[in-house]
Amino acid sequence: MTVASFKGGVEKTTTALHLAAYLQSKAPALLVDGDLNRSALDWAARGSLPFKVVDMTDDNPVKTHTKN
């Protein structure tokens, strides 16, 4: 599932976070943050998300943050 828009500020990250949280309640979920701002990854770094968030936009292959 992809949440995308060319326009900024239309709640793409919020929508993706809520979808991942809902899907996590059904089965293990993974959120891939492809936004250059890495907003979802910032939320995950706070330790408040019950699912994994990965970032594949920089030179590092994968950065993973998860609550567990």
Side-chain angles (χ1 to χ4, degrees):
M1 187 177 302
T2 301
V3 178
S5 175
F6 289 111
K7 185 167 177 11
V10 295
E11 305 300 324
K12 296 178 295 287
T13 300
T14 301
T15 300
L17 289 168
H18 286 220
L19 282 170
Y22 171 76
L23 293 171
Q24 177 69 26
S25 73
K26 305 297 180 189
L30 174 70
L31 178 65
V32 179
D33 189 357
D35 188 343
L36 294 176
N37 293 325
R38 295 181 181 90
S39 299
L41 199 63
D42 289 343
W43 277 99
R46 298 176 192 164
S48 60
L49 301 178
F51 49 85
K52 288 184 180 181
V53 177
V54 295
D55 172 24
M56 300 181 81
T57 61
D58 61 15
D59 293 336
N60 296 323
V62 174
K63 292 181 183 177
T64 304
H65 292 282
T66 182
K67 183 177 180 181
N68 298 334

Coordinates of all heavy atoms in Angstrom, one line a residue:
M1 N 0.9 -1.1 0.0 CA 0.0 0.0 0.0 C 0.9 1.2 0.0 O 1.9 1.3 0.7 CB -0.9 0.0 1.3 CG -1.9 1.0 1.3 SD -2.9 0.8 2.8 CE -3.6 -0.8 2.7
T2 N 0.6 2.2 -0.8 CA 1.4 3.4 -0.9 C 0.5 4.6 -0.6 O -0.6 4.7 -1.1 CB 2.0 3.6 -2.3 OG1 2.8 2.4 -2.6 CG2 2.8 4.8 -2.4
V3 N 1.0 5.6 0.2 CA 0.4 6.8 0.4 C 1.3 7.9 -0.2 O 2.4 8.1 0.2 CB 0.2 7.1 1.9 CG1 -0.4 8.5 2.2 CG2 -0.6 6.0 2.6
A4 N 0.8 8.5 -1.3 CA 1.6 9.5 -2.0 C 0.8 10.7 -2.5 O -0.4 10.6 -2.8 CB 2.3 8.7 -3.2
S5 N 1.5 11.8 -2.7 CA 1.0 13.0 -3.2 C 2.2 13.9 -3.6 O 3.2 13.9 -2.8 CB 0.1 13.7 -2.3 OG -0.4 14.9 -2.8
F6 N 2.1 14.7 -4.6 CA 3.2 15.6 -4.9 C 3.1 16.8 -4.0 O 4.1 17.5 -3.8 CB 3.1 16.1 -6.4 CG 3.5 15.0 -7.4 CD1 2.5 14.4 -8.2 CD2 4.8 14.5 -7.4 CE1 2.9 13.4 -9.1 CE2 5.1 13.5 -8.3 CZ 4.2 13.0 -9.1
K7 N 1.9 17.1 -3.5 CA 1.7 18.3 -2.6 C 2.2 18.0 -1.2 O 1.9 16.9 -0.7 CB 0.3 18.7 -2.7 CG 0.0 19.9 -1.9 CD -1.4 20.4 -2.2 CE -1.9 21.6 -1.4 NZ -0.9 22.4 -0.7
G8 N 2.8 18.9 -0.6 CA 3.2 18.8 0.8 C 2.1 19.2 1.7 O 1.2 19.9 1.3
G9 N 2.2 18.7 3.0 CA 1.2 19.1 4.0 C -0.2 18.6 3.8 O -1.2 19.2 4.3
V10 N -0.3 17.4 3.2 CA -1.7 16.8 3.0 C -1.9 15.6 3.8 O -2.7 14.8 3.6 CB -1.9 16.5 1.5 CG1 -2.0 17.8 0.7 CG2 -0.9 15.6 0.9
E11 N -1.0 15.5 4.9 CA -1.2 14.4 5.9 C -0.8 13.0 5.4 O -1.4 12.0 5.8 CB -2.6 14.4 6.5 CG -3.0 15.7 7.1 CD -2.1 16.2 8.2 OE1 -1.6 15.3 9.0 OE2 -1.8 17.4 8.4
K12 N 0.2 12.9 4.5 CA 0.6 11.6 4.0 C 1.2 10.8 5.1 O 0.9 9.6 5.3 CB 1.7 11.8 2.9 CG 1.1 12.5 1.6 CD 2.2 12.7 0.6 CE 3.3 13.6 1.0 NZ 3.0 15.0 1.1
T13 N 2.1 11.4 5.9 CA 2.8 10.7 7.0 C 1.8 10.2 8.0 O 1.8 9.1 8.5 CB 3.9 11.5 7.6 OG1 4.9 11.8 6.6 CG2 4.6 10.8 8.8
T14 N 0.9 11.1 8.4 CA -0.1 10.8 9.4 C -1.0 9.7 8.9 O -1.3 8.7 9.7 CB -1.0 12.0 9.7 OG1 -0.2 13.1 10.2 CG2 -2.1 11.7 10.7
T15 N -1.4 9.7 7.7 CA -2.2 8.6 7.1 C -1.5 7.3 7.1 O -2.0 6.3 7.5 CB -2.7 9.0 5.7 OG1 -3.4 10.2 5.7 CG2 -3.5 7.9 5.1
A16 N -0.2 7.4 6.7 CA 0.6 6.1 6.7 C 0.8 5.6 8.1 O 0.7 4.3 8.2 CB 1.9 6.4 6.0
L17 N 1.0 6.4 9.0 CA 1.2 6.0 10.4 C -0.1 5.3 10.9 O 0.0 4.2 11.6 CB 1.6 7.1 11.3 CG 3.0 7.7 11.1 CD1 3.2 9.0 11.9 CD2 4.1 6.7 11.6
H18 N -1.2 5.9 10.7 CA -2.5 5.3 11.2 C -2.8 4.0 10.4 O -3.3 3.1 11.1 CB -3.6 6.3 11.0 CG -3.5 7.4 12.0 ND1 -4.6 8.0 12.6 CD2 -2.5 8.1 12.5 CE1 -4.3 8.9 13.4 NE2 -3.0 9.0 13.4
L19 N -2.5 3.9 9.1 CA -2.7 2.7 8.4 C -1.8 1.6 9.0 O -2.3 0.5 9.2 CB -2.5 2.9 6.9 CG -3.6 3.6 6.1 CD1 -3.1 3.9 4.7 CD2 -4.8 2.7 6.1
A20 N -0.6 1.9 9.2 CA 0.4 0.9 9.7 C -0.1 0.5 11.1 O 0.0 -0.7 11.4 CB 1.8 1.5 9.7
A21 N -0.5 1.4 11.9 CA -1.0 1.0 13.3 C -2.2 0.1 13.2 O -2.3 -0.9 13.9 CB -1.3 2.2 14.1
Y22 N -3.1 0.4 12.3 CA -4.3 -0.5 12.1 C -3.9 -1.9 11.6 O -4.3 -2.9 12.2 CB -5.3 0.1 11.2 CG -6.4 -0.8 10.8 CD1 -7.4 -1.1 11.7 CD2 -6.4 -1.5 9.6 CE1 -8.4 -2.0 11.4 CE2 -7.4 -2.4 9.3 CZ -8.4 -2.6 10.2 OH -9.4 -3.6 9.9
L23 N -3.0 -1.9 10.6 CA -2.6 -3.2 10.0 C -1.8 -4.0 11.0 O -1.9 -5.2 11.1 CB -1.8 -2.9 8.7 CG -2.6 -2.3 7.6 CD1 -1.7 -1.9 6.5 CD2 -3.7 -3.3 7.1
Q24 N -1.0 -3.3 11.9 CA -0.2 -4.0 12.9 C -1.2 -4.7 13.9 O -0.8 -5.7 14.4 CB 0.6 -3.0 13.7 CG 1.4 -3.6 14.8 CD 2.5 -4.5 14.4 OE1 3.0 -4.4 13.3 NE2 2.9 -5.4 15.2
S25 N -2.4 -4.2 14.1 CA -3.3 -4.9 15.0 C -3.9 -6.2 14.4 O -4.4 -7.0 15.1 CB -4.5 -3.9 15.3 OG -5.4 -3.8 14.2
K26 N -3.7 -6.3 13.1 CA -4.1 -7.5 12.4 C -3.0 -8.5 12.1 O -3.2 -9.7 12.1 CB -4.8 -7.2 11.0 CG -5.9 -6.2 11.1 CD -7.0 -6.7 11.9 CE -8.2 -5.7 12.0 NZ -9.2 -6.1 12.9
A27 N -1.8 -8.0 11.8 CA -0.6 -8.8 11.5 C 0.6 -7.9 11.6 O 0.5 -6.7 11.6 CB -0.7 -9.4 10.1
P28 N 1.8 -8.4 11.6 CA 3.0 -7.6 11.6 C 3.1 -6.6 10.5 O 2.8 -7.0 9.3 CB 4.2 -8.6 11.6 CG 3.6 -9.8 12.1 CD 2.2 -9.9 11.7
A29 N 3.4 -5.4 10.7 CA 3.4 -4.3 9.7 C 4.8 -3.7 9.7 O 5.5 -3.6 10.6 CB 2.3 -3.3 10.0
L30 N 5.1 -3.2 8.5 CA 6.4 -2.5 8.2 C 6.0 -1.2 7.5 O 5.3 -1.2 6.5 CB 7.3 -3.3 7.4 CG 8.6 -2.7 7.0 CD1 9.5 -2.4 8.2 CD2 9.3 -3.5 5.9
L31 N 6.5 -0.1 7.9 CA 6.3 1.2 7.3 C 7.7 1.6 6.7 O 8.7 1.8 7.4 CB 5.8 2.3 8.2 CG 5.6 3.7 7.7 CD1 4.5 3.7 6.6 CD2 5.3 4.7 8.8
V32 N 7.7 1.8 5.3 CA 8.9 2.3 4.7 C 8.7 3.8 4.4 O 7.8 4.2 3.7 CB 9.1 1.6 3.3 CG1 10.3 2.1 2.6 CG2 9.2 0.1 3.5
D33 N 9.6 4.6 5.1 CA 9.6 6.0 5.0 C 10.4 6.5 3.8 O 11.6 6.5 3.9 CB 10.0 6.7 6.3 CG 9.8 8.2 6.3 OD1 9.3 8.7 5.3 OD2 10.1 8.8 7.4
G34 N 9.8 6.8 2.7 CA 10.5 7.3 1.5 C 10.5 8.8 1.4 O 11.0 9.3 0.4
D35 N 10.0 9.5 2.3 CA 9.9 11.0 2.3 C 11.3 11.5 2.7 O 11.9 11.0 3.6 CB 8.9 11.5 3.3 CG 8.6 13.0 3.2 OD1 9.4 13.7 2.7 OD2 7.6 13.4 3.8
L36 N 11.7 12.5 2.0 CA 13.1 13.1 2.3 C 13.1 13.7 3.6 O 14.2 13.9 4.2 CB 13.4 14.1 1.2 CG 13.7 13.6 -0.2 CD1 13.9 14.7 -1.2 CD2 14.8 12.6 -0.2
N37 N 12.0 14.2 4.2 CA 11.9 14.7 5.5 C 12.0 13.7 6.6 O 12.3 14.0 7.8 CB 10.6 15.5 5.7 CG 10.5 16.7 4.9 OD1 11.6 17.4 4.6 ND2 9.4 17.1 4.4
R38 N 11.8 12.4 6.3 CA 11.8 11.3 7.2 C 11.0 11.5 8.4 O 11.4 11.1 9.5 CB 13.3 11.0 7.6 CG 14.1 10.6 6.4 CD 15.6 10.3 6.8 NE 16.4 9.9 5.7 CZ 17.1 10.7 4.9 NH1 17.0 12.0 5.2 NH2 17.8 10.3 3.9
S39 N 9.8 12.0 8.2 CA 8.9 12.3 9.4 C 8.5 11.0 10.1 O 8.4 11.0 11.3 CB 7.7 13.0 8.9 OG 8.0 14.2 8.3
A40 N 8.2 9.9 9.4 CA 7.8 8.7 10.0 C 8.9 8.1 10.8 O 8.7 7.6 11.9 CB 7.3 7.7 9.0
L41 N 10.1 8.2 10.3 CA 11.3 7.7 11.0 C 11.5 8.5 12.3 O 11.9 8.0 13.3 CB 12.5 7.8 10.1 CG 13.7 6.9 10.5 CD1 13.4 5.5 10.4 CD2 14.9 7.2 9.6
D42 N 11.3 9.8 12.2 CA 11.4 10.7 13.4 C 10.4 10.2 14.5 O 10.7 10.1 15.7 CB 11.1 12.1 13.1 CG 12.2 12.8 12.3 OD1 13.4 12.2 12.3 OD2 12.0 13.8 11.7
W43 N 9.2 9.9 14.1 CA 8.2 9.4 15.1 C 8.7 8.1 15.7 O 8.5 7.8 16.9 CB 6.8 9.2 14.4 CG 6.0 10.4 14.3 CD1 5.9 11.3 13.2 CD2 5.2 11.0 15.3 NE1 5.1 12.3 13.5 CE2 4.6 12.2 14.8 CE3 5.0 10.6 16.7 CZ2 3.8 13.0 15.6 CZ3 4.1 11.4 17.4 CH2 3.5 12.6 16.9
A44 N 9.2 7.2 14.8 CA 9.7 5.9 15.3 C 10.8 6.0 16.3 O 10.9 5.3 17.2 CB 10.1 5.0 14.1
A45 N 11.7 7.0 16.0 CA 12.8 7.2 16.9 C 12.4 7.6 18.3 O 13.2 7.4 19.3 CB 13.8 8.3 16.3
R46 N 11.2 8.1 18.5 CA 10.7 8.5 19.8 C 10.3 7.2 20.6 O 10.0 7.3 21.8 CB 9.5 9.4 19.7 CG 9.9 10.7 19.0 CD 8.7 11.6 18.8 NE 9.0 12.7 18.0 CZ 8.2 13.5 17.4 NH1 6.9 13.3 17.5 NH2 8.5 14.5 16.6
G47 N 10.2 6.1 19.9 CA 9.8 4.9 20.6 C 8.3 4.7 20.8 O 7.9 3.9 21.7
S48 N 7.5 5.4 20.1 CA 6.1 5.3 20.4 C 5.3 4.5 19.3 O 4.0 4.5 19.4 CB 5.5 6.8 20.4 OG 5.7 7.4 19.2
L49 N 5.9 3.9 18.4 CA 5.2 3.1 17.4 C 5.3 1.6 17.6 O 6.3 1.1 17.9 CB 5.7 3.5 16.0 CG 5.6 4.9 15.6 CD1 6.2 5.2 14.2 CD2 4.2 5.4 15.6
P50 N 4.2 0.9 17.5 CA 4.2 -0.5 17.7 C 4.6 -1.4 16.5 O 4.4 -2.6 16.5 CB 2.7 -0.8 18.1 CG 2.0 0.2 17.3 CD 2.8 1.4 17.3
F51 N 5.1 -0.7 15.5 CA 5.5 -1.4 14.2 C 6.9 -0.9 13.8 O 7.3 0.2 14.2 CB 4.5 -1.2 13.1 CG 4.1 0.2 12.9 CD1 4.8 1.0 12.1 CD2 3.0 0.7 13.6 CE1 4.5 2.4 12.0 CE2 2.6 2.0 13.4 CZ 3.4 2.9 12.6
K52 N 7.5 -1.6 12.9 CA 8.9 -1.2 12.4 C 8.7 -0.1 11.3 O 7.8 -0.1 10.5 CB 9.6 -2.4 11.8 CG 10.1 -3.4 12.8 CD 10.9 -4.4 12.2 CE 11.4 -5.4 13.2 NZ 12.2 -6.5 12.6
V53 N 9.7 0.8 11.4 CA 9.8 1.8 10.3 C 11.2 1.8 9.8 O 12.1 1.8 10.5 CB 9.5 3.3 10.9 CG1 9.7 4.3 9.8 CG2 8.1 3.3 11.5
V54 N 11.3 1.7 8.4 CA 12.6 1.7 7.8 C 12.7 2.8 6.9 O 11.8 3.4 6.3 CB 12.9 0.3 7.1 CG1 12.9 -0.8 8.1 CG2 11.9 0.1 6.0
D55 N 14.0 3.2 6.6 CA 14.3 4.4 5.7 C 15.3 3.9 4.7 O 16.3 3.4 5.0 CB 14.9 5.5 6.6 CG 15.4 6.6 5.7 OD1 15.0 6.8 4.6 OD2 16.3 7.3 6.2
M56 N 14.9 4.0 3.4 CA 15.8 3.6 2.4 C 16.1 4.7 1.4 O 16.4 4.5 0.3 CB 15.1 2.4 1.6 CG 14.8 1.2 2.5 SD 14.1 -0.1 1.7 CE 15.5 -0.9 1.0
T57 N 16.1 5.9 1.9 CA 16.4 7.1 1.1 C 17.8 7.6 1.1 O 18.1 8.5 0.3 CB 15.4 8.3 1.4 OG1 15.7 8.6 2.8 CG2 14.0 7.9 1.2
D58 N 18.6 7.1 2.0 CA 20.0 7.6 2.1 C 21.0 6.6 1.7 O 20.6 5.5 1.2 CB 20.3 8.2 3.5 CG 20.2 7.2 4.6 OD1 20.1 6.0 4.3 OD2 20.1 7.6 5.7
D59 N 22.3 6.8 1.9 CA 23.3 5.9 1.5 C 23.4 4.6 2.3 O 23.9 3.6 1.9 CB 24.7 6.6 1.6 CG 24.8 7.7 0.5 OD1 24.1 7.6 -0.5 OD2 25.6 8.6 0.7
N60 N 22.8 4.7 3.6 CA 22.8 3.5 4.4 C 21.7 2.6 3.9 O 20.6 3.1 3.5 CB 22.5 3.9 5.8 CG 23.6 4.7 6.4 OD1 24.8 4.5 6.1 ND2 23.2 5.7 7.2
P61 N 21.9 1.3 3.8 CA 20.9 0.4 3.2 C 19.6 0.5 3.9 O 18.5 0.6 3.3 CB 21.5 -1.0 3.4 CG 22.9 -0.8 3.8 CD 23.1 0.6 4.3
V62 N 19.6 0.4 5.3 CA 18.3 0.5 6.0 C 18.6 1.0 7.4 O 19.5 0.5 8.1 CB 17.7 -0.9 6.1 CG1 16.4 -0.9 7.0 CG2 17.3 -1.5 4.7
K63 N 17.8 1.9 7.9 CA 17.8 2.3 9.3 C 16.5 1.8 9.9 O 15.4 2.1 9.3 CB 17.9 3.8 9.4 CG 19.2 4.4 9.0 CD 19.2 5.9 9.2 CE 20.4 6.5 8.8 NZ 20.4 8.0 8.9
T64 N 16.5 1.1 11.0 CA 15.3 0.6 11.5 C 15.1 1.1 12.9 O 16.0 1.1 13.7 CB 15.3 -1.0 11.6 OG1 15.6 -1.5 10.3 CG2 14.0 -1.5 12.1
H65 N 13.8 1.5 13.2 CA 13.4 1.9 14.5 C 12.2 1.2 14.9 O 11.3 1.1 14.1 CB 13.2 3.4 14.6 CG 14.4 4.2 14.5 ND1 15.4 4.4 15.5 CD2 14.9 4.9 13.4 CE1 16.4 5.1 15.0 NE2 16.1 5.4 13.8
T66 N 12.1 0.7 16.1 CA 10.9 0.0 16.5 C 10.7 0.1 18.0 O 11.7 0.3 18.7 CB 10.9 -1.5 16.1 OG1 9.6 -2.1 16.5 CG2 12.0 -2.3 16.7
K67 N 9.6 0.0 18.5 CA 9.3 0.0 19.9 C 9.8 -1.2 20.6 O 10.3 -1.2 21.7 CB 7.8 0.2 20.2 CG 7.5 0.4 21.6 CD 6.0 0.6 21.8 CE 5.6 0.8 23.3 NZ 4.2 1.0 23.4
N68 N 9.7 -2.4 20.0 CA 10.0 -3.6 20.6 C 11.5 -3.9 20.6 O 12.3 -3.9 19.8 CB 9.2 -4.8 20.0 CG 7.8 -4.5 20.2 OD1 7.4 -3.9 21.2 ND2 7.0 -5.0 19.3

